[in-house]
Amino acid sequence: MAEISDEAKDIEKLYEFGERLNEARDKAQHVKDYEGIVGAAKGSIKAKQLAAQLIPRFFKCFPDLHVSAVDAHFDLCEAEELGVCYSLAHVCKNMSFFILRACCLAETKLN
């Protein structure tokens, strides 16, 4: 039987994190899961793609992690091969500070 690659194990963990958070009534009890999702922004391309979907989905549930989540999402946006900037709007929806920061980042990229 073939061994499962490290990348496949990381992806499986991300799906487990997302599943636990989806099923949890009190998502705040699963901070480590969200931290794992945010940390995946530094992983493989597939892990980054999945993190880009999961970070915005649970963003509002973890206000103490907003800064690290937005920073991770900005990193994902800068990875052009991922094409994930569209989901930044979900992260920033009700967060004026982060919207302002996103606008500054976009302006910097244009100049």
Side-chain angles (χ1 to χ4, degrees):
M1 187 161 116
E3 265 188 53
I4 298 174
S5 71
D6 288 340
E7 180 183 35
K9 289 177 187 177
D10 291 343
I11 299 300
E12 186 176 328
K13 268 188 192 176
L14 282 170
Y15 277 112
E16 289 172 10
F17 294 156
E19 189 174 315
R20 269 196 299 268
L21 286 168
N22 270 331
E23 294 173 355
R25 285 185 173 203
D26 184 7
K27 294 180 186 348
Q29 297 290 323
H30 298 277
V31 173
K32 293 290 183 195
D33 290 340
Y34 193 67
E35 289 173 339
I37 291 168
V38 171
K42 292 180 169 70
S44 68
I45 297 246
K46 290 181 181 180
K48 288 177 180 180
Q49 289 171 330
L50 186 52
Q53 294 173 29
L54 295 173
I55 288 171
R57 184 178 301 164
F58 302 110
F59 180 78
K60 66 181 178 183
C61 303
F62 299 95
D64 292 343
L65 298 175
H66 279 173
V67 172
S68 60
V70 169
D71 284 343
H73 214 275
F74 281 153
D75 290 343
L76 294 170
C77 286
E78 291 172 354
E80 293 177 12
E81 69 275 9
L82 297 178
V84 298
C85 273
Y86 66 88
S87 62
L88 185 60
H90 295 288
V91 174
C92 296
K93 189 162 52 174
N94 296 314
M95 308 297 287
S96 59
F97 168 77
F98 295 120
I99 291 171
L100 177 61
R101 187 168 173 197
C103 291
C104 291
L105 175 68
E107 185 178 325
T108 302
K109 283 187 173 190
L110 292 174
N111 293 330

